[in-house]
mmCIF file of all heavy atoms in Angstrom:
data_model
loop_
_atom_site.group_PDB
_atom_site.id
_atom_site.type_symbol
_atom_site.label_atom_id
_atom_site.label_comp_id
_atom_site.label_asym_id
_atom_site.label_seq_id
_atom_site.Cartn_x
_atom_site.Cartn_y
_atom_site.Cartn_z
ATOM 1 N N LEU A 125 -28.241 37.631 21.724
ATOM 2 C CA LEU A 125 -28.420 36.206 22.097
ATOM 3 C C LEU A 125 -29.052 35.388 20.975
ATOM 4 O O LEU A 125 -28.676 34.219 20.817
ATOM 5 C CB LEU A 125 -29.315 36.137 23.374
ATOM 6 C CG LEU A 125 -28.609 36.504 24.669
ATOM 7 C CD1 LEU A 125 -29.620 36.590 25.811
ATOM 8 C CD2 LEU A 125 -27.477 35.507 24.978
ATOM 9 N N TYR A 126 -29.898 35.972 20.194
ATOM 10 C CA TYR A 126 -30.474 35.241 19.016
ATOM 11 C C TYR A 126 -29.326 34.895 18.076
ATOM 12 O O TYR A 126 -29.266 33.767 17.589
ATOM 13 C CB TYR A 126 -31.518 36.106 18.316
ATOM 14 C CG TYR A 126 -32.048 35.433 17.095
ATOM 15 C CD1 TYR A 126 -33.190 34.605 17.174
ATOM 16 C CD2 TYR A 126 -31.439 35.601 15.833
ATOM 17 C CE1 TYR A 126 -33.671 33.964 16.018
ATOM 18 C CE2 TYR A 126 -31.915 35.017 14.708
ATOM 19 C CZ TYR A 126 -33.036 34.130 14.819
ATOM 20 O OH TYR A 126 -33.470 33.490 13.710
ATOM 21 N N THR A 129 -27.060 32.190 19.560
ATOM 22 C CA THR A 129 -27.613 30.821 19.741
ATOM 23 C C THR A 129 -28.075 30.206 18.420
ATOM 24 O O THR A 129 -28.591 29.105 18.410
ATOM 25 C CB THR A 129 -28.808 30.865 20.750
ATOM 26 O OG1 THR A 129 -29.797 31.775 20.257
ATOM 27 C CG2 THR A 129 -28.330 31.265 22.120
ATOM 28 N N PHE A 162 -37.263 41.137 20.586
ATOM 29 C CA PHE A 162 -37.929 40.064 21.261
ATOM 30 C C PHE A 162 -38.359 40.511 22.657
ATOM 31 O O PHE A 162 -37.541 41.184 23.325
ATOM 32 C CB PHE A 162 -37.061 38.823 21.388
ATOM 33 C CG PHE A 162 -36.603 38.259 20.067
ATOM 34 C CD1 PHE A 162 -35.374 38.655 19.544
ATOM 35 C CD2 PHE A 162 -37.366 37.339 19.389
ATOM 36 C CE1 PHE A 162 -34.950 38.176 18.324
ATOM 37 C CE2 PHE A 162 -36.954 36.833 18.152
ATOM 38 C CZ PHE A 162 -35.746 37.237 17.625
ATOM 39 N N VAL A 164 -40.030 39.057 26.325
ATOM 40 C CA VAL A 164 -40.463 37.903 27.111
ATOM 41 C C VAL A 164 -41.728 38.226 27.867
ATOM 42 O O VAL A 164 -41.833 39.245 28.531
ATOM 43 C CB VAL A 164 -39.362 37.464 28.112
ATOM 44 C CG1 VAL A 164 -39.851 36.374 28.989
ATOM 45 C CG2 VAL A 164 -38.094 37.051 27.348
ATOM 46 N N VAL A 172 -43.127 26.730 30.107
ATOM 47 C CA VAL A 172 -42.116 26.376 29.040
ATOM 48 C C VAL A 172 -41.779 24.902 29.245
ATOM 49 O O VAL A 172 -41.502 24.465 30.351
ATOM 50 C CB VAL A 172 -40.876 27.340 29.170
ATOM 51 C CG1 VAL A 172 -40.205 27.128 30.495
ATOM 52 C CG2 VAL A 172 -39.912 27.088 28.037
ATOM 53 N N HIS A 173 -41.850 24.172 28.168
ATOM 54 C CA HIS A 173 -41.690 22.727 28.171
ATOM 55 C C HIS A 173 -42.620 22.100 29.177
ATOM 56 O O HIS A 173 -42.252 21.119 29.886
ATOM 57 C CB HIS A 173 -40.226 22.391 28.520
ATOM 58 C CG HIS A 173 -39.274 22.846 27.454
ATOM 59 N ND1 HIS A 173 -39.303 22.420 26.143
ATOM 60 C CD2 HIS A 173 -38.231 23.699 27.533
ATOM 61 C CE1 HIS A 173 -38.335 22.986 25.473
ATOM 62 N NE2 HIS A 173 -37.683 23.764 26.281
ATOM 63 N N THR A 216 -34.094 22.073 24.284
ATOM 64 C CA THR A 216 -33.605 22.104 22.899
ATOM 65 C C THR A 216 -32.112 22.550 22.915
ATOM 66 O O THR A 216 -31.581 23.074 23.897
ATOM 67 C CB THR A 216 -34.387 23.086 22.065
ATOM 68 O OG1 THR A 216 -34.160 24.413 22.520
ATOM 69 C CG2 THR A 216 -35.887 22.775 22.130
ATOM 70 N N ARG A 217 -31.494 22.374 21.774
ATOM 71 C CA ARG A 217 -30.088 22.840 21.680
ATOM 72 C C ARG A 217 -29.996 24.336 21.858
ATOM 73 O O ARG A 217 -29.035 24.868 22.431
ATOM 74 C CB ARG A 217 -29.517 22.415 20.275
ATOM 75 C CG ARG A 217 -29.333 20.912 20.128
ATOM 76 C CD ARG A 217 -28.686 20.553 18.828
ATOM 77 N NE ARG A 217 -27.235 20.925 18.858
ATOM 78 C CZ ARG A 217 -26.462 20.711 17.837
ATOM 79 N NH1 ARG A 217 -26.921 20.205 16.718
ATOM 80 N NH2 ARG A 217 -25.198 21.036 17.879
ATOM 81 N N ARG A 218 -31.048 25.008 21.388
ATOM 82 C CA ARG A 218 -31.057 26.459 21.578
ATOM 83 C C ARG A 218 -31.213 26.847 23.058
ATOM 84 O O ARG A 218 -30.528 27.773 23.560
ATOM 85 C CB ARG A 218 -32.202 27.097 20.767
ATOM 86 C CG ARG A 218 -32.137 28.609 20.767
ATOM 87 C CD ARG A 218 -32.795 29.173 19.547
ATOM 88 N NE ARG A 218 -32.052 30.273 18.958
ATOM 89 C CZ ARG A 218 -32.108 30.662 17.695
ATOM 90 N NH1 ARG A 218 -32.846 29.960 16.860
ATOM 91 N NH2 ARG A 218 -31.483 31.676 17.295
ATOM 92 N N ASP A 219 -32.044 26.105 23.755
ATOM 93 C CA ASP A 219 -32.168 26.315 25.232
ATOM 94 C C ASP A 219 -30.787 26.150 25.888
ATOM 95 O O ASP A 219 -30.375 26.983 26.646
ATOM 96 C CB ASP A 219 -33.086 25.258 25.844
ATOM 97 C CG ASP A 219 -34.541 25.394 25.435
ATOM 98 O OD1 ASP A 219 -34.978 26.486 25.136
ATOM 99 O OD2 ASP A 219 -35.212 24.325 25.447
ATOM 100 N N LEU A 220 -30.089 25.074 25.514
ATOM 101 C CA LEU A 220 -28.826 24.765 26.152
ATOM 102 C C LEU A 220 -27.781 25.818 25.790
ATOM 103 O O LEU A 220 -26.960 26.210 26.658
ATOM 104 C CB LEU A 220 -28.364 23.371 25.713
ATOM 105 C CG LEU A 220 -29.244 22.198 26.145
ATOM 106 C CD1 LEU A 220 -28.832 20.947 25.450
ATOM 107 C CD2 LEU A 220 -29.176 22.055 27.650
ATOM 108 N N ARG A 221 -27.768 26.276 24.571
ATOM 109 C CA ARG A 221 -26.789 27.257 24.151
ATOM 110 C C ARG A 221 -27.014 28.546 24.947
ATOM 111 O O ARG A 221 -26.080 29.193 25.415
ATOM 112 C CB ARG A 221 -26.927 27.557 22.669
ATOM 113 C CG ARG A 221 -26.481 26.405 21.768
ATOM 114 C CD ARG A 221 -26.866 26.694 20.334
ATOM 115 N NE ARG A 221 -26.653 25.500 19.476
ATOM 116 C CZ ARG A 221 -27.124 25.391 18.257
ATOM 117 N NH1 ARG A 221 -27.836 26.377 17.722
ATOM 118 N NH2 ARG A 221 -26.878 24.304 17.522
ATOM 119 N N LEU A 222 -28.281 28.956 25.056
ATOM 120 C CA LEU A 222 -28.582 30.218 25.710
ATOM 121 C C LEU A 222 -28.236 30.152 27.203
ATOM 122 O O LEU A 222 -27.640 31.082 27.740
ATOM 123 C CB LEU A 222 -30.080 30.621 25.524
ATOM 124 C CG LEU A 222 -30.423 32.063 25.846
ATOM 125 C CD1 LEU A 222 -31.625 32.412 24.996
ATOM 126 C CD2 LEU A 222 -30.763 32.239 27.312
ATOM 127 N N LEU A 223 -28.602 29.028 27.836
ATOM 128 C CA LEU A 223 -28.323 28.904 29.283
ATOM 129 C C LEU A 223 -26.809 28.817 29.506
ATOM 130 O O LEU A 223 -26.289 29.361 30.563
ATOM 131 C CB LEU A 223 -28.972 27.623 29.823
ATOM 132 C CG LEU A 223 -30.502 27.644 29.830
ATOM 133 C CD1 LEU A 223 -31.046 26.265 30.234
ATOM 134 C CD2 LEU A 223 -31.025 28.734 30.773
ATOM 135 N N MET A 244 -33.485 31.208 35.011
ATOM 136 C CA MET A 244 -33.612 30.131 34.037
ATOM 137 C C MET A 244 -34.973 30.185 33.317
ATOM 138 O O MET A 244 -35.020 29.964 32.081
ATOM 139 C CB MET A 244 -33.436 28.766 34.738
ATOM 140 C CG MET A 244 -33.371 27.619 33.764
ATOM 141 S SD MET A 244 -33.020 26.045 34.588
ATOM 142 C CE MET A 244 -31.278 26.321 35.010
ATOM 143 N N PHE A 245 -36.036 30.388 34.007
ATOM 144 C CA PHE A 245 -37.354 30.344 33.338
ATOM 145 C C PHE A 245 -37.466 31.380 32.268
ATOM 146 O O PHE A 245 -37.903 31.106 31.127
ATOM 147 C CB PHE A 245 -38.465 30.550 34.390
ATOM 148 C CG PHE A 245 -39.820 30.406 33.867
ATOM 149 C CD1 PHE A 245 -40.349 29.138 33.594
ATOM 150 C CD2 PHE A 245 -40.592 31.481 33.564
ATOM 151 C CE1 PHE A 245 -41.685 29.017 33.100
ATOM 152 C CE2 PHE A 245 -41.924 31.368 33.027
ATOM 153 C CZ PHE A 245 -42.432 30.114 32.827
ATOM 154 N N ASP A 246 -37.051 32.603 32.556
ATOM 155 C CA ASP A 246 -37.129 33.686 31.578
ATOM 156 C C ASP A 246 -36.203 33.438 30.368
ATOM 157 O O ASP A 246 -36.521 33.753 29.221
ATOM 158 C CB ASP A 246 -36.743 35.057 32.191
ATOM 159 C CG ASP A 246 -37.815 35.553 33.174
ATOM 160 O OD1 ASP A 246 -38.983 35.185 32.956
ATOM 161 O OD2 ASP A 246 -37.492 36.302 34.097
ATOM 162 N N ARG A 247 -35.058 32.810 30.652
ATOM 163 C CA ARG A 247 -34.172 32.507 29.501
ATOM 164 C C ARG A 247 -34.742 31.413 28.636
ATOM 165 O O ARG A 247 -34.580 31.440 27.422
ATOM 166 C CB ARG A 247 -32.797 32.054 30.101
ATOM 167 C CG ARG A 247 -32.057 33.189 30.766
ATOM 168 C CD ARG A 247 -30.834 32.683 31.498
ATOM 169 N NE ARG A 247 -30.140 33.863 32.132
ATOM 170 C CZ ARG A 247 -29.141 33.766 33.059
ATOM 171 N NH1 ARG A 247 -28.785 32.531 33.442
ATOM 172 N NH2 ARG A 247 -28.569 34.836 33.550
ATOM 173 N N LEU A 248 -35.436 30.443 29.258
ATOM 174 C CA LEU A 248 -36.049 29.409 28.457
ATOM 175 C C LEU A 248 -37.228 29.988 27.635
ATOM 176 O O LEU A 248 -37.416 29.570 26.489
ATOM 177 C CB LEU A 248 -36.551 28.263 29.355
ATOM 178 C CG LEU A 248 -35.442 27.403 30.018
ATOM 179 C CD1 LEU A 248 -36.056 26.418 30.997
ATOM 180 C CD2 LEU A 248 -34.682 26.700 28.952
ATOM 181 N N LEU A 249 -37.942 30.951 28.208
ATOM 182 C CA LEU A 249 -39.028 31.569 27.471
ATOM 183 C C LEU A 249 -38.443 32.348 26.245
ATOM 184 O O LEU A 249 -39.000 32.340 25.164
ATOM 185 C CB LEU A 249 -39.753 32.562 28.365
ATOM 186 C CG LEU A 249 -40.834 31.998 29.316
ATOM 187 C CD1 LEU A 249 -41.470 33.128 30.101
ATOM 188 C CD2 LEU A 249 -41.912 31.266 28.508
ATOM 189 N N LEU A 250 -37.299 32.998 26.468
ATOM 190 C CA LEU A 250 -36.655 33.727 25.365
ATOM 191 C C LEU A 250 -36.188 32.788 24.262
ATOM 192 O O LEU A 250 -36.414 33.067 23.074
ATOM 193 C CB LEU A 250 -35.481 34.516 25.907
ATOM 194 C CG LEU A 250 -34.779 35.449 24.904
ATOM 195 C CD1 LEU A 250 -35.740 36.468 24.331
ATOM 196 C CD2 LEU A 250 -33.588 36.180 25.553
ATOM 197 N N ALA A 251 -35.613 31.673 24.653
ATOM 198 C CA ALA A 251 -35.168 30.660 23.679
ATOM 199 C C ALA A 251 -36.383 30.142 22.891
ATOM 200 O O ALA A 251 -36.320 29.879 21.678
ATOM 201 C CB ALA A 251 -34.439 29.543 24.356
ATOM 202 N N GLU A 252 -37.497 29.981 23.580
ATOM 203 C CA GLU A 252 -38.715 29.530 22.914
ATOM 204 C C GLU A 252 -39.203 30.567 21.911
ATOM 205 O O GLU A 252 -39.650 30.193 20.781
ATOM 206 C CB GLU A 252 -39.816 29.306 23.940
ATOM 207 C CG GLU A 252 -41.069 28.639 23.400
ATOM 208 C CD GLU A 252 -42.056 28.314 24.504
ATOM 209 O OE1 GLU A 252 -42.637 29.217 25.085
ATOM 210 O OE2 GLU A 252 -42.268 27.116 24.751
ATOM 211 N N GLN A 253 -39.054 31.830 22.219
ATOM 212 C CA GLN A 253 -39.421 32.905 21.259
ATOM 213 C C GLN A 253 -38.517 32.815 20.020
ATOM 214 O O GLN A 253 -38.991 33.013 18.901
ATOM 215 C CB GLN A 253 -39.349 34.254 21.955
ATOM 216 C CG GLN A 253 -40.493 34.641 22.772
ATOM 217 C CD GLN A 253 -40.588 36.131 23.000
ATOM 218 O OE1 GLN A 253 -40.104 36.931 22.169
ATOM 219 N NE2 GLN A 253 -41.253 36.536 24.037
ATOM 220 N N PHE A 254 -37.254 32.594 20.244
ATOM 221 C CA PHE A 254 -36.309 32.476 19.105
ATOM 222 C C PHE A 254 -36.743 31.364 18.210
ATOM 223 O O PHE A 254 -36.772 31.522 16.970
ATOM 224 C CB PHE A 254 -34.918 32.213 19.640
ATOM 225 C CG PHE A 254 -34.262 33.336 20.423
ATOM 226 C CD1 PHE A 254 -33.141 33.124 21.144
ATOM 227 C CD2 PHE A 254 -34.783 34.618 20.371
ATOM 228 C CE1 PHE A 254 -32.511 34.134 21.876
ATOM 229 C CE2 PHE A 254 -34.181 35.677 21.079
ATOM 230 C CZ PHE A 254 -33.068 35.423 21.847
ATOM 231 N N SER A 255 -37.093 30.223 18.755
ATOM 232 C CA SER A 255 -37.478 29.063 17.948
ATOM 233 C C SER A 255 -38.762 29.377 17.161
ATOM 234 O O SER A 255 -38.902 28.994 16.031
ATOM 235 C CB SER A 255 -37.658 27.839 18.804
ATOM 236 O OG SER A 255 -36.400 27.512 19.415
ATOM 237 N N ARG A 256 -39.752 29.994 17.814
ATOM 238 C CA ARG A 256 -40.984 30.325 17.132
ATOM 239 C C ARG A 256 -40.754 31.333 16.026
ATOM 240 O O ARG A 256 -41.347 31.257 14.937
ATOM 241 C CB ARG A 256 -41.974 30.905 18.129
ATOM 242 C CG ARG A 256 -42.563 29.878 19.051
ATOM 243 C CD ARG A 256 -43.501 30.516 20.072
ATOM 244 N NE ARG A 256 -44.102 29.526 20.966
ATOM 245 C CZ ARG A 256 -44.807 29.833 22.038
ATOM 246 N NH1 ARG A 256 -45.053 31.089 22.342
ATOM 247 N NH2 ARG A 256 -45.312 28.847 22.807
ATOM 248 N N PHE A 257 -39.830 32.264 16.251
ATOM 249 C CA PHE A 257 -39.483 33.268 15.197
ATOM 250 C C PHE A 257 -38.915 32.544 14.017
ATOM 251 O O PHE A 257 -39.233 32.846 12.839
ATOM 252 C CB PHE A 257 -38.511 34.265 15.779
ATOM 253 C CG PHE A 257 -38.027 35.265 14.809
ATOM 254 C CD1 PHE A 257 -38.792 36.259 14.385
ATOM 255 C CD2 PHE A 257 -36.745 35.131 14.245
ATOM 256 C CE1 PHE A 257 -38.409 37.249 13.486
ATOM 257 C CE2 PHE A 257 -36.285 36.079 13.317
ATOM 258 C CZ PHE A 257 -37.118 37.153 12.940
ATOM 259 N N ASP A 258 -38.026 31.558 14.226
ATOM 260 C CA ASP A 258 -37.436 30.832 13.122
ATOM 261 C C ASP A 258 -38.463 30.033 12.375
ATOM 262 O O ASP A 258 -38.422 29.951 11.120
ATOM 263 C CB ASP A 258 -36.372 29.834 13.681
ATOM 264 C CG ASP A 258 -35.134 30.558 14.133
ATOM 265 O OD1 ASP A 258 -34.904 31.696 13.751
ATOM 266 O OD2 ASP A 258 -34.373 29.947 14.900
#
Side-chain angles (χ1 to χ4, degrees):
L125 284 172
Y126 177 90
T129 58
F162 300 94
V164 175
V172 61
H173 297 299
T216 67
R217 293 184 71 181
R218 189 154 220 155
D219 293 332
L220 295 170
R221 292 169 189 169
L222 196 151
L223 293 174
M244 186 175 291
F245 185 78
D246 288 333
R247 290 169 181 169
L248 290 174
L249 280 179
L250 184 59
E252 187 175 69
Q253 281 202 23
F254 292 165
S255 297
R256 288 177 179 172
F257 177 76
D258 287 342

